[in-house]
Amino acid sequence: MAVDPTPPEGIERYGYTQELRRSLTFRDLVVYGLIFMVPIAPFGIFGSVFQGSGGMVALAYAVGMLAMLFTAARTRRCRARSRWPDRSTPTPGGASRRRSGSCPAG
């Protein structure tokens, strides 16, 4: 058995082998962004929310969250009823793909 006379470069000479992926997926970036931004995001607007809500910051955030949940639920239901992935895409004739009686746009 022949032994390689040149030692490996870097940390491989200590027996380390690369085991981790050296890439980030979109999901990885979103999770990193949430971990990094979510804890500090409210501090930037706390003063104006405190002033505007009369000191009831938690109630203001709860009302905002409830409004966003209703909006998301309505959007989900509208998108499920839609026949096309992007209903606002114009057709070659210039007409919109929106059907009459479907969910309101905007």
Side-chain angles (χ1 to χ4, degrees), residues 82-103:
S82 174
R83 290 186 287 175
W84 296 282
D86 184 11
R87 296 179 326 152
S88 62
T89 303
T91 60
S96 175
R97 288 183 172 176
R98 287 190 203 104
R99 295 177 292 174
S100 61
S102 66
C103 296

Side-chain angles (χ1 to χ4, degrees), residues 52-89:
S53 66
M56 295 184 276
V57 177
L59 179 63
Y61 277 108
V63 169
M65 182 183 69
L66 188 64
M68 285 187 279
L69 287 173
F70 280 129
T71 303
R74 176 68 177 166
T75 302
R76 179 180 177 199
R77 193 168 57 185
C78 286
R79 298 298 289 176
R81 289 186 353 187
S82 174
R83 290 186 287 175
W84 296 282
D86 184 11
R87 296 179 326 152
S88 62
T89 303

Side-chain angles (χ1 to χ4, degrees), residues 36-59:
F36 184 74
M37 290 301 298
V38 169
I40 62 171
F43 297 119
I45 60 169
F46 180 79
S48 58
V49 172
F50 184 83
Q51 188 73 28
S53 66
M56 295 184 276
V57 177
L59 179 63

Side-chain angles (χ1 to χ4, degrees), residues 22-37:
R22 291 184 178 231
S23 64
L24 290 174
T25 63
F26 180 72
R27 182 175 178 228
D28 296 333
L29 291 175
V30 168
V31 169
Y32 174 75
L34 288 174
I35 290 170
F36 184 74
M37 290 301 298

